Amino acid sequence: MRHLPKTAARLFRRFWRGLREWCGDAAYETYLRSNGKQASPTCTLTPASFYVEQLNRRYSKPNRCC
């Protein structure tokens, strides 16, 4: 019974992290982590330019719905 608050907080953090990953809200943080692990230092994008790159990547593919 003493561990219930810690367990509930841990479950909530895990749920919140999963929700952010699912909706794409944590994409920039993931990008920063993966960019920091690369051997060669590259130009890190700002949040605004990262968002534009994500949009371009998403909508540059051909749309075959019609």
Side-chain angles (χ1 to χ4, degrees):
M1 198 60 132
R2 287 185 350 211
H3 301 292
L4 187 61
K6 286 183 179 181
T7 304
R10 187 173 56 233
L11 286 174
F12 179 74
R13 280 194 304 269
R14 184 177 287 173
F15 169 75
W16 188 251
R17 190 170 41 238
L19 183 64
R20 289 188 75 225
E21 288 289 330
W22 177 74
C23 68
D25 200 22
Y28 186 69
E29 289 88 6
T30 305
Y31 161 74
L32 288 177
R33 270 184 275 147
S34 69
N35 197 20
K37 291 180 182 177
Q38 291 178 351
S40 63
T42 59
C43 180
T44 304
L45 298 174
T46 63
S49 59
F50 178 77
Y51 178 70
V52 170
E53 287 292 321
Q54 289 289 91
L55 287 177
N56 288 338
R57 191 176 310 141
R58 181 177 295 155
Y59 294 115
S60 66
K61 298 174 186 170
N63 187 357
R64 299 172 200 241
C65 70
C66 300

